[in-house]
Amino acid sequence: MSNIPSELKYATSHEWVRNEGDGTVTIGITEHAQELLGDMVFVELPEVGESISTGDDVAVAESVKAASDIYAPVSGEVVEVNEDLEDSPELVNSDAFGDGWMFKVKLDDDSELNDLLDAEGYANSIDED
């Protein structure tokens, strides 16, 4: 069973969202997702300043097994990307919920967070996979 921190929100497409409490969120992919993908070899991130909408494919995680699109779990403006992933994409594997974060978004509408799954809901969704 993958680690699923209870303080985060989740999309069924395996992105996690941490509310920073200042109108921004930090986004990455779950431990379950990185386990499915395998060892990361490249991560393509969105541009800072880019406007994204829920469901947009905004990044790509490329592993030894496959390349997988990363979808925007919320709408807003990308305000920061994790530049450490350019040289060390394996951070996604070693610390998916910490140093392996991907990008930060200034929310257009923080009520969108209510549409995401809690840890239990996400755990149930991956049990069904």
Side-chain angles (χ1 to χ4, degrees):
M1 185 70 168
S2 298
N3 177 31
I4 304 173
S6 61
E7 70 276 15
L8 303 177
K9 295 286 208 164
Y10 300 90
T12 55
S13 49
H14 307 295
E15 292 82 13
W16 57 261
V17 178
R18 180 174 56 232
N19 186 350
E20 301 297 348
D22 61 358
T24 67
V25 293
T26 301
I27 296 166
I29 63 170
T30 66
E31 191 173 289
H32 176 74
Q34 66 83 21
E35 286 172 354
L36 291 175
L37 289 167
D39 293 338
M40 292 294 153
V41 294
F42 181 74
V43 178
E44 180 182 323
L45 297 170
E47 297 288 325
V48 172
E50 185 177 334
S51 290
I52 60 174
S53 298
T54 303
D56 287 353
D57 55 340
V58 294
V60 176
E62 189 173 331
S63 71
V64 294
K65 291 182 182 174
S68 181
D69 289 332
I70 309 299
Y71 299 97
V74 293
S75 301
E77 178 186 344
V78 177
V79 293
E80 187 177 348
V81 297
N82 186 352
E83 295 176 355
D84 291 343
L85 296 180
E86 291 178 17
D87 295 327
S88 303
E90 67 276 8
L91 289 171
V92 175
N93 298 113
S94 63
D95 192 10
F97 297 111
D99 291 340
W101 66 275
M102 294 189 167
F103 53 97
K104 296 183 179 187
V105 172
K106 181 178 180 187
L107 296 168
D108 282 345
D109 178 2
D110 62 4
S111 70
E112 287 186 12
L113 296 174
N114 299 328
D115 297 334
L116 298 171
L117 299 171
D118 61 14
E120 183 180 347
Y122 180 68
N124 291 336
S125 79
I126 61 176
D127 283 345
E128 295 168 4
D129 285 348

